[in-house]
Amino acid sequence: MNIDNPSRRMLMTAMAALPMGEAVAAADNEAGGATGKGRPRTLVAFLSRSGNTRVLAGVIHRAELSDLYEIRAARAYPDDYFDTVEQARQQRDTGYLPALRDGPPNMAQYDKVYLGFPVWGETLPPPVRSFLSRIDLRGKTVVPFITHGGYGAGKSAAELAKRAIGAMLKPPLVMEADQERRTTTEVLQWLGKPVPR
Ligand SMILES: Cc1cc2nc3c(=O)[nH]c(=O)nc-3n(C[C@H](O)[C@H](O)[C@H](O)COP(=O)(O)O)c2cc1C
């Protein structure tokens, strides 16, 4: 990708800066050039539903020379939080691997992958499992960054270790982040509507 293209550079920077912006697929940041020399060897790959993990991904992407890839299911999850929890639970329990909207980037170009996701049902979200099933991480350094709603990383780090075959897995950053559940619950209560359990 051409770093001398200011509009592209600005677009990519703006995309990475948007906490709740439209998804960013395989976007490059300031690297490359006509010869392709200096292309980032680092990928920041992340899944985010309500924006928390996207903020972390943006910070890492801006701090490290890297490409950015958003893991998105081809079929969007429901808008409703509780419906999403239920769908994710079913997918987890059946081992369903949802199709991804954007094919994974060519991993051969990366040595290091920051992999970010929220904990879903105490483990990896199904689209992250899909992503991991489609890429080869052998010989790569993988640095997880994990957000959760108060119950910790659960089994997600162990699940990741099982699926990142041959990768050099670094200790994860694990962060509690504002929770869509709390927001949804408070607003439903304020409206006097029933709150799903
Ligand atoms: C489907 C679903 C399942 C979740 N399951 C858990 C969980 O098991 N434990 C937990 O602490 N938080 C859970 N959460 C909360 C998220 O992990 C937390 O809010 C996270 O920061 C959301 O990240 P995001 O804004 O990038 O989507 C769940 C959220 C969703 C949408």
Side-chain angles (χ1 to χ4, degrees):
M1 300 301 154
N2 187 355
I3 59 165
D4 297 317
N5 178 342
S7 57
R8 178 175 171 80
R9 188 168 61 229
M10 278 171 59
L11 176 66
M12 292 312 169
T13 306
M15 288 164 96
L18 283 175
M20 290 295 290
E22 268 302 295
V24 184
D28 301 333
N29 73 357
E30 299 159 33
T35 63
K37 276 190 188 154
R39 217 196 130 68
R41 302 286 305 170
T42 297
L43 176 70
V44 180
F46 73 99
L47 175 97
S48 185
R49 169 183 163 82
S50 61
N52 301 336
T53 317
R54 177 177 286 115
V55 173
L56 276 68
V59 173
I60 298 165
H61 176 55
R62 289 189 296 279
E64 303 271 349
L65 187 65
S66 57
D67 288 343
L68 192 61
Y69 169 78
E70 180 165 356
I71 302 166
R72 284 183 296 186
R75 227 178 123 197
Y77 284 87
D79 287 338
D80 183 76
Y81 174 83
F82 293 101
D83 290 346
T84 300
V85 170
E86 179 53 23
Q87 187 169 315
R89 190 188 60 72
Q90 283 173 16
Q91 292 182 347
R92 179 199 65 191
D93 291 350
T94 57
Y96 177 75
L97 296 179
L100 298 181
R101 187 177 135 165
D102 307 301
N106 172 11
M107 298 303 292
Q109 58 193 325
Y110 303 114
D111 305 318
K112 187 175 186 183
V113 180
Y114 287 93
L115 177 62
F117 53 86
V119 175
W120 280 13
E122 292 163 32
T123 189
L124 295 175
V128 173
R129 287 194 280 111
S130 298
F131 177 66
L132 291 169
S133 76
R134 293 189 54 186
I135 58 170
D136 184 358
L137 288 171
R138 272 175 300 181
K140 300 186 194 303
T141 300
V142 174
V143 193
F145 56 102
I146 303 172
T147 72
H148 63 87
Y151 299 94
K155 300 187 209 90
S156 64
E159 276 296 317
L160 174 59
K162 263 199 263 172
R163 289 160 200 272
I165 297 153
M168 287 166 287
L169 208 52
K170 296 287 184 190
L173 169 68
V174 180
M175 265 185 66
E176 181 175 350
D178 281 342
Q179 211 191 348
E180 191 183 359
R181 173 188 287 272
R182 197 155 50 221
T183 306
T184 306
T185 300
E186 280 201 24
V187 175
L188 286 175
Q189 284 171 342
W190 176 72
L191 290 171
K193 304 284 182 194
V195 178
R197 288 164 49 87

